Every structure is written in structure tokens, then in C-alpha cells.
């Protein structure tokens, strides 16, 4: 069970880093701190390109893998003898 735990922890770290990068790659939707200081001058806020949709899908898939790794680590810790 120790090898399973180590494998899940490695998956957790890798997917956590990828998830952070994917979230940072998303285009801002406005209404945040940047709008308060004059950074909200983008024209097409409502449009979503194919690349943005694919990025969103990939982010969700990586997030589900990350969540599954967390649940797996919890199950290994609970049922480890």
C-alpha cells in the first residue's frame, strides 16, 4: 500500500501544478481588481473561442483527476492496516 500512496501523491503534485498553470492561462472575465484600476478595457467579454472551451474542458478533466487522487489518498490512509 505504500507504493500506491506514493504514486497517488506524485499524481497529486503533478496535477496540482498543471491545474495551477491551466487556471492562470484562462482569460479574465472582468469585474475583478483589474477593473478598479483601469484594466477592464476588453471588448469581447461574452465571446468564447474554441481554444478557451478546450482549455476549460482540459481544466475540468485535470481537476477531476486531482480530486480522485485526494480521495484515493484518503481511502488508502483509512484502510491501511
Amino acid at each position: 500500500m505504500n507504493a500506491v500512496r506514493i504514486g497517488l501523491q506524485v499524481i497529486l503534485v503533478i496535477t496540482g501544478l498543471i491545474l495551477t498553470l491551466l487556471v492562470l492561462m484562462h482569460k479574465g472575465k472582468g469585474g475583478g481588481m483589474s477593473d478598479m484600476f483601469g484594466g477592464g478595457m476588453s471588448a469581447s467579454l461574452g465571446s468564447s473561442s474554441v481554444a478557451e472551451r478546450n482549455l476549460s474542458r482540459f481544466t475540468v478533466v485535470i481537476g477531476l483527476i486531482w480530486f480522485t487522487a485526494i480521495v484515493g489518498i484518503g481511502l488508502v490512509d483509512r484502510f491501511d492496516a
Side-chain angles (χ1 to χ4, degrees):
M1 289 301 257
N2 200 13
V4 174
R5 182 181 299 148
I6 291 173
L8 286 172
Q9 288 173 344
V10 168
I11 290 172
L12 183 68
V13 169
I14 290 171
T15 55
L17 291 173
I18 293 172
L19 194 60
T20 303
L21 291 174
L22 288 174
V23 167
L24 289 174
M25 286 174 59
H26 279 278
K27 185 170 45 172
K29 302 296 184 202
M33 290 291 285
S34 63
D35 287 342
M36 290 172 49
F37 299 110
M41 295 296 178
S42 57
S44 61
L45 290 176
S47 67
S48 176
S49 66
V50 174
E52 186 74 23
R53 283 192 306 249
N54 288 336
L55 182 63
S56 295
R57 290 179 188 148
F58 195 58
T59 304
V60 168
V61 169
I62 296 295
L64 289 174
I65 295 170
W66 180 78
F67 180 75
T68 305
I70 290 175
V71 171
I73 290 172
L75 289 174
V76 167
D77 283 345
R78 177 163 175 102
F79 295 115
D80 194 20

